[in-house]
Amino acid sequence: MARSGRLLALMQSLRRRRRPVSAATLAEELGISPRTVYRDIATLIAQGAPIEGEAGIGYVLRAGFFLPPLMFDAEETDALMLGLRLAAGRGDAALAEAAENALAKIAAVLPSPQQEAAEDSGLVVARHSGAGAPLTAIRQALREERKLRLSYSDKKASATERVVWPVLIGFFEASEVLAAWCELRSDFRHFRLDRIATATALPERMPRRRRVLLAEWRALQED
């Protein structure tokens, strides 16, 4: 591996971690010696990389450091393009527009060969009708951690009114599903977005943080 590529790989390895990682772990991951890791860390620090730590303790990259998109390799570029195309194809109008804008920004800073590869990518996502206005309101409630009022029809077409605490939206092959704490049932419930007639983000904040609810919901899925 060329030195420039090795330095980039080292930065990426540090970037993936929130806690200090030892030189021995980095060396094993990158297929180099711990001594080379020490030298490369020193080089990166000298070039301005915000790396903290020392030998015997470990190293961590301070939050906020940004590597420009032009550093993405071919596989990473494919992953980004696929993810953004999924968002454009499955999201509401605002999310689709944001995904298209992000695609344009990334493509604009890629080197010419990667620009061509991105534009001619064989990874295509079919457009989906999406959930329209309900999805927009649900995303707002998720982002602001607010309660959500739903007009919902179950699989028997029985209409109900629910006030829920939104946890996440799952995008599956045939449908989108909202996972939420339901005040009516005092438990977690799943609501298909195509059965939601209306969704309104309420002024009231959720009594519990969404990250706490998400952890509890995930624990239930593992049981």
Side-chain angles (χ1 to χ4, degrees):
M1 181 187 298
R3 186 166 184 267
S4 59
R6 190 179 72 236
L7 292 174
L8 176 59
L10 179 55
M11 287 293 291
Q12 294 283 42
S13 184
L14 289 169
R15 190 182 187 190
R16 290 196 303 270
R17 295 174 165 90
R18 295 184 178 181
R19 297 182 178 181
V21 56
S22 68
T25 298
L26 291 168
E28 182 177 358
E29 181 177 316
L30 300 175
I32 58 180
S33 69
R35 180 175 296 181
T36 300
V37 171
Y38 294 137
R39 286 201 306 266
D40 288 349
I41 291 285
T43 297
L44 290 169
I45 292 174
Q47 293 178 354
I51 298 172
E52 298 177 344
E54 58 184 87
I57 296 177
Y59 299 94
V60 64
L61 184 66
R62 287 205 307 270
F65 183 75
F66 177 72
L67 290 177
L70 58 85
M71 293 296 188
F72 296 143
D73 63 23
E75 295 296 330
E76 291 165 340
T77 301
D78 271 354
L80 279 170
M81 293 299 169
L82 178 59
L84 288 169
R85 285 169 182 163
L86 281 167
R90 297 291 295 267
D92 55 32
L95 193 61
E97 182 179 359
E100 295 287 358
N101 289 339
L103 277 168
K105 288 178 181 179
I106 291 174
V109 296
L110 290 172
S112 295
Q114 284 184 288
Q115 280 187 8
E116 295 175 5
E119 291 170 358
D120 300 333
S121 173
L123 303 177
V124 177
V125 176
R127 288 284 177 176
H128 189 273
S129 60
L135 180 56
T136 302
I138 292 168
R139 291 198 302 109
Q140 178 190 352
L142 279 167
R143 187 166 51 246
E144 298 176 358
E145 296 193 343
R146 297 189 182 279
K147 292 184 179 183
L148 190 66
R149 185 184 301 280
L150 305 179
S151 296
Y152 187 75
S153 297
D154 62 21
K155 61 184 179 181
K156 296 181 180 178
S158 299
T160 62
E161 293 285 329
R162 306 287 185 97
V163 173
V164 302
W165 309 347
V167 176
L168 59 82
I169 301 172
F171 289 82
F172 301 98
E173 183 177 356
S175 64
E176 294 88 23
V177 175
L178 168 68
W181 176 268
C182 178
E183 291 189 351
L184 179 65
R185 302 302 183 190
S186 297
D187 201 356
F188 289 104
R189 288 291 186 269
H190 299 100
F191 304 92
R192 282 183 50 153
L193 268 61
D194 59 350
R195 293 177 180 164
I196 297 176
T198 62
T200 305
L202 301 177
E204 295 92 339
R205 304 276 296 185
M206 299 193 312
R208 296 158 66 195
R209 296 300 304 271
R210 192 175 71 85
R211 68 172 58 183
V212 175
L213 293 169
L214 179 58
E216 293 176 355
W217 178 86
R218 283 176 170 162
L220 289 173
Q221 309 315 303
E222 295 171 359
D223 289 346

